[in-house]
Amino acid sequence: MDTRGPVVEPDARPDPARELAGRVAVITGGARGQGRSHAVTLARMGADIAITDLGHDLGTVAYPLGTADELAETVRLVEAEGRRCIASLVDVRDLGAMISFVDEVAAEFGGLDIAVANAGVSSLGSIMSMTASDWSETVETNLTGVFNTLRSAAPHLRRRRWGRMIGISSMMGRSSNPGIAAYTASKWGVIGLCKSVAQEMAHFSVTVNAIAPGNISTPMIHNPALYQLMRPDLEDPGPDDVAAPMTGLHVQPVPWLEPDEVSAAVAYLCSHGARHVTGTVLNVDAGASARFTG
Ligand SMILES: NC(=O)c1ccc[n+]([C@@H]2O[C@H](COP(=O)([O-])OP(=O)(O)OC[C@H]3O[C@@H](n4cnc5c(N)ncnc54)[C@H](O)[C@@H]3O)[C@@H](O)[C@H]2O)c1
């Protein structure tokens, strides 16, 4: 048991251009989309990076998931920033595999400072027809996967007595829509999980926050199943057909944001300036939350 007392993070601000020099970050779901963008962003800030992804599709998810080749491309992009990158196909639903991966990363890089629990899937379907696997594959990835990531990282961050944990929720984690119950429930859960862990880690200079993105331009939203959910009146809707209903989910008149806009929030939460921001939710959702949160 660690018997040292509470820690106060030093006031001195590191060089903003290399703010995360000497830090190590693990990011799940790093093969593409937002996870890849977070990896490159934190590498640019000076951190060494470890990424995981699944490497195969899931029967209950109606679009292809990240591949080993895409994971290798993220490694290439991180290394092009002059940082080291470890990558492995690890399923976030498997706690034992996550602990082994994170322990190996910490041993190889000499510790761990940042965990971004980003891996997620979106499954669609009515409560009248959802199967047990529809429910469990989504909840086990999106909620248990975030728990497994935080659980694997927590002992390392506590040992460092500096740390940042970020759980990726969603604007659906603070609101709801029909036909997406498992996803919505899992994302509400991520917020409760992060708030509770934030209180546990507060005495060790480890912050824990959630980010709630709006529609982000990745394969999770750009796929025929989601297009059909948004435009059930059309036979074969495309991106132009869904732009209006997607815009309707936001307040600012934009259908979707780019992954690097969420990475900017990740960068902020990892920065020295956010050292006393913990247990909160940062909305990156073109104003959507103005409608539904206090
Ligand atoms: N795209 C959006 O509109 C949007 C909005 C709000 C929140 N989010 C959340 O942002 C996060 C990133 O999503 P994205 O938009 O980049 O989508 P994405 O599908 O491009 O990326 C998600 C990645 O997670 C990986 N993954 C899925 N299951 C996994 C598992 N069991 N183990 C390891 N990796 C797994 C996928 O293979 C994929 O590479 C997710 O948690 C998602 O729910 C997305």
Side-chain angles (χ1 to χ4, degrees), residues 95-236:
L95 177 59
M98 278 301 296
I99 288 177
S100 299
F101 176 69
V102 169
D103 286 354
E104 279 164 28
V105 168
E108 176 71 21
F109 285 160
L112 181 71
D113 306 278
I114 296 165
V116 185
N118 163 80
V121 292
S122 160
S123 65
L124 308 172
S126 162
I127 192 67
M128 308 290 178
S129 55
M130 262 171 70
T131 64
S133 341
D134 288 334
W135 172 263
S136 62
E137 287 197 336
T138 296
V139 173
E140 283 171 18
T141 305
N142 294 4
L143 179 54
T144 307
V146 174
F147 160 72
N148 290 342
T149 306
L150 303 191
R151 168 67 185 82
S152 308
H156 295 284
L157 273 53
R158 178 180 160 149
R159 199 169 299 125
R160 258 333 205 214
R161 303 176 87 73
W162 185 98
R164 303 287 191 260
M165 291 182 175
I166 299 171
I168 303 300
S169 177
S170 167
M171 69 180 166
M172 285 303 134
R174 322 197 82 189
S175 62
S176 64
N177 255 355
I180 191 167
Y183 184 82
T184 300
S186 69
K187 294 299 186 179
W188 278 70
V190 167
I191 291 176
L193 170 63
C194 288
K195 283 180 180 284
S196 178
V197 177
Q199 297 194 51
E200 267 192 68
M201 301 303 284
H203 289 274
F204 306 104
S205 287
V206 175
T207 69
V208 188
N209 293 286
I211 294 177
N215 304 319
I216 309 299
S217 187
T218 71
M220 183 177 280
I221 64 163
H222 290 300
N223 65 76
L226 193 86
Y227 289 174
Q228 196 68 67
L229 180 82
M230 302 301 292
R231 290 300 303 269
D233 54 312
L234 297 181
E235 199 162 310
D236 185 20

Side-chain angles (χ1 to χ4, degrees), residues 214-216 221 239 242-250 252-257:
N215 304 319
I216 309 299
I221 64 163
V242 300
M246 297 290 254
T247 300
L249 294 173
H250 293 158
Q252 291 178 322
V254 287
W256 38 73
L257 316 182

